[in-house]
Amino acid sequence: MCGIVGILGAADVVDRLMDGLSRLEYRGYDSAGIAVMTPEAGLQTRRASGKLSSLRGLLNDHRIAGTAGIGHTRWATHGAPTQRNAHPHRAGPVTVVHNGIIENYAELRGDLQQRGVRFTSDTDTEVVAQLCAETLDQGGDPIEAVAETLERLSGAYALAFLFEDQPELMIAARRGSPLALGYGDAAPDGTCEMFVGSDALALAPFTQNVCFLEEGDLAVITRRRTVIRDRDGQEVVRAVQTLPEEDWRVEKGPFRHFMAKEIHEQPESLSRALTQFADHHAGGLRPILSGIDLASVDRVILVACGTSHYACLSGKYWLEQFAGLPVEVDIASEYRYRQPAFSGRELAVFVSQSGETADTLAAMSHLRGRVATRLAVVNVPTSSMAREADGMLEILAGPEIGVASTKAFTGQLLALAALAMAMGKARGRICAEAERALVTELSALPRLVRDVLELEPVIARQAEATAKASTALFLGRGPSYPIALEGALKMKEVSYITAEGYPAGELKHGPIAQVDKDVPVVVLAPRDALFDKTLTNAEEVAARGGRVVIVSDAALDGRQGASGFDHIRLPDLPPSVAPVGLAVVMQLLAYHVAVCKGTDVDQPRNLAKSVTVE
């Protein structure tokens, strides 16, 4: 969840460290800092609580300069988000930044304190620096000191080290948290600048030549040579990939917030993703997951966290409908602690925007060898999950900077719908005529989303009234129920309104007690087989004085009790893709409520974009 940037450069690194950190702001953070190897005074650290603007102000007042440095944005886990707990942390000649959680830090800290070590922070990370410094004091060199330190750590980490007396050396290591190395252009003397980052986005301003450390890797980095050792201590070569520059642009353009920009990018992102799933000219589904026998699967397991979990709940409806398979949906943070039975013919699908979600990645690793196929549905094809999986569906959403997922969510919905249809075809449940009809509906998605976006002024007016509430309910039936859950989550994430999503049929089993004139009840009611039942639930709310907001592509004229409803009238929603259209409405509603309330839309309090700790 934290962000790491490191540079071994040929010129001053301070501005570039700050540039890299600014690209990691999307992850969410509450303090930041840098450490730079200065020629006059050695390693110098600047740290500040709050946003990067606070750190910039500190650097303006107390300038430092040097050609080697590490930087960090911290999302607090152990210790409050204060300056003393901000990274980098230093012990003697060792300075370190860290993403992850050291699970045995309390035991290690206690041992160190018994040996007279004094700590200056409340973090688990300082234990790493203190252990490494202690090993150096005992006569080890930096590489040995880091290796011995890592052997004593339990938990997850991505680490970057600098050493006071080694201005041309940086050491990086990862276990459970992602870390990338970037290679600069070669200079005439054979050296090249080297970069370390939590992800490729942080390195994009400096280089497009990147390799990704694998689980357990340790990298000894200099400008003349970089050596990577695997978990067994053997020297290995990790492939260097060239990343297209245009894939990493993060400007807001004409939009006030990244969230708004990314909501409006969905027609384009869905069009891009459709090219791998649908053959518009032939009117059929494209082959996906070559080499994977979809017809022999006897059960599908869907695993994810947060918004991706709700995408999986939608996928369950599609897989049951089109493929006729039993489907389980599990929250990744819980999955490893169950003891489910396996036949060995399951398809396990793991969904994550970043492909680095710690709980989801751990669940994927947990099922290695237990199921027939592990499939990753991700937005980052170079991510840990993509590399771990047996197969991958890339949602092609492009960089998503806003913490609240928007275009990645609809991309996940599209990928899961296409997977369900492909499995239905492989199992002989979808005939050629039905396949053509489904592809027609999929192909209409970008236009449908553009039409929904045209309703933004209407949705914004509804948001003005909703922003006055402290509580909101979201209701849906069938495939609309997961979107009601996602709508409530979006509202909580960006506006801080207490919002809950429920199956509409469960209204009378408790939630209706919350209904009064001050609680908006958003009812998702597409014109499908469950429309009349859903409208009946909306009328039950209205009969008790509740404010009902109906989101539907159906006309309500003449419907008893519907005259008092606020109606967001949508374009016609084909049943197979209706959840995507409804999701865009939920995004716009939450966004405009947040704008009305003046919250930090792109970086809501306490949240992080890429949850790389358990």
Side-chain angles (χ1 to χ4, degrees), residues 24-74:
L24 293 172
E25 286 190 282
Y26 75 95
R27 286 172 167 251
Y29 69 105
D30 37 45
S31 63
I34 64 172
V36 173
M37 189 76 72
T38 67
E40 303 86 5
L43 269 170
Q44 294 290 300
T45 300
R46 300 289 184 266
R47 303 182 298 175
S49 61
K51 298 300 184 182
L52 281 178
S53 56
S54 298
L55 180 58
R56 287 193 181 96
L58 182 62
L59 287 167
N60 288 336
D61 295 337
H62 303 281
R63 290 292 301 176
I64 52 176
T67 57
I70 50 179
H72 191 266
T73 53
R74 176 180 185 250

Side-chain angles (χ1 to χ4, degrees), residues 530-546:
L530 299 173
F531 174 72
D532 288 331
K533 289 183 179 294
T534 307
L535 260 290
T536 296
N537 298 131
E539 289 162 356
E540 292 168 350
V541 173
R544 288 157 178 82

Side-chain angles (χ1 to χ4, degrees), residues 455-467 547 566 568 588-589 592-593 596:
L455 299 173
E456 185 167 12
V458 175
I459 298 168
R461 286 195 292 273
Q462 289 293 339
E464 292 177 7
T466 303
R547 175 183 162 229
D566 292 334
I568 299 176
L588 287 170
L589 181 62
H592 283 286
V593 170
C596 288

